[in-house]
Amino acid sequence: ILADLLRADGRFEVQLSRPNKSVVLGTDNKSSLMARVEGAAAFEADYLISLHTNSFDQYTANGIEVYVADELGESYVLAETLLTEMVAATNLRKRGVKLNPDLDILEFSDMPAVLVEMGFISNSTDAALMSEHPDLFAKGIYNGILCYFGFLPNNYGDMVPLF
């Protein structure tokens, strides 16, 4: 849904690491994340946004959080903007921008990268919203991207490759 929004906008080029459910990346979590990093580099993406669902053994854990490698630079600003717009679109709890330089997708990316945990699949409220209204998450991320670049809805500019 997010890729469709970005493509329809006309200002973005989008490459999905998994364009359909049958695509398998890697043989484990590490190789899957590295395949995403390598794919973004091969695409010569300017930004990498990795979308995930969170899980925790306590069903009460809920909300959206975004991970970055450090507090400096574009990744952190992008993460804050995405988080704000996603919370506005979904009304889920804002868990914050969190630092984790050891996440492979963040550590090995040559471009600004964020890892978005859209909600907790282990929480019935978050899971239901992700399942029943994925469009809200897509719209929140899309709005975050527009805000990050300072775009107005009909202000078409240059193509910006995203992965």
Side-chain angles (χ1 to χ4, degrees):
I1 295 169
L2 175 58
D4 291 342
L5 287 171
L6 290 165
R7 288 180 180 129
D9 181 291
R11 293 175 278 195
F12 305 97
E13 291 179 55
V14 179
Q15 177 70 37
L16 298 175
S17 59
R18 291 190 317 168
N20 59 59
K21 292 178 184 181
S22 66
V23 173
V24 176
L25 297 174
T27 56
D28 57 22
N29 192 44
K30 183 174 184 70
S31 62
S32 173
L33 293 175
M34 288 308 297
R36 296 166 205 250
V37 171
E38 292 163 2
F43 181 64
E44 297 181 5
D46 293 325
Y47 296 86
L48 189 149
I49 300 172
S50 188
L51 304 179
H52 299 261
T53 58
N54 218 336
S55 183
F56 193 62
D57 59 3
Q58 298 292 319
Y59 70 90
T60 55
N62 64 353
I64 302 167
E65 56 194 22
V66 182
Y67 286 89
V68 296
D70 61 59
E71 292 177 296
L72 304 173
E74 293 181 66
S75 295
Y76 196 87
V77 176
L78 176 60
E80 286 184 319
T81 307
L82 293 176
L83 180 62
T84 297
E85 293 302 319
M86 288 180 68
V87 168
T90 64
N91 289 316
L92 289 181
R93 179 177 163 223
K94 185 177 189 175
R95 294 179 58 91
V97 174
K98 303 198 175 185
L99 302 179
N100 191 336
D102 297 325
L103 290 173
D104 289 343
I105 205 150
L106 304 176
E107 180 180 3
F108 297 110
S109 176
D110 290 333
M111 74 272 315
V114 297
L115 188 146
V116 178
E117 294 285 3
M118 296 184 288
F120 282 78
I121 202 160
S122 52
N123 178 281
S124 60
T125 302
D126 285 12
L129 192 62
M130 286 185 282
S131 175
E132 296 167 16
H133 297 286
D135 56 305
L136 294 177
F137 295 88
K139 188 66 173 172
I141 296 167
Y142 174 70
N143 287 344
I145 291 168
L146 291 181
C147 289
Y148 175 78
F149 286 109
F151 291 155
L152 298 175
N154 294 316
N155 180 23
Y156 290 88
D158 293 332
M159 300 289 266
V160 178
L162 293 172
F163 187 84

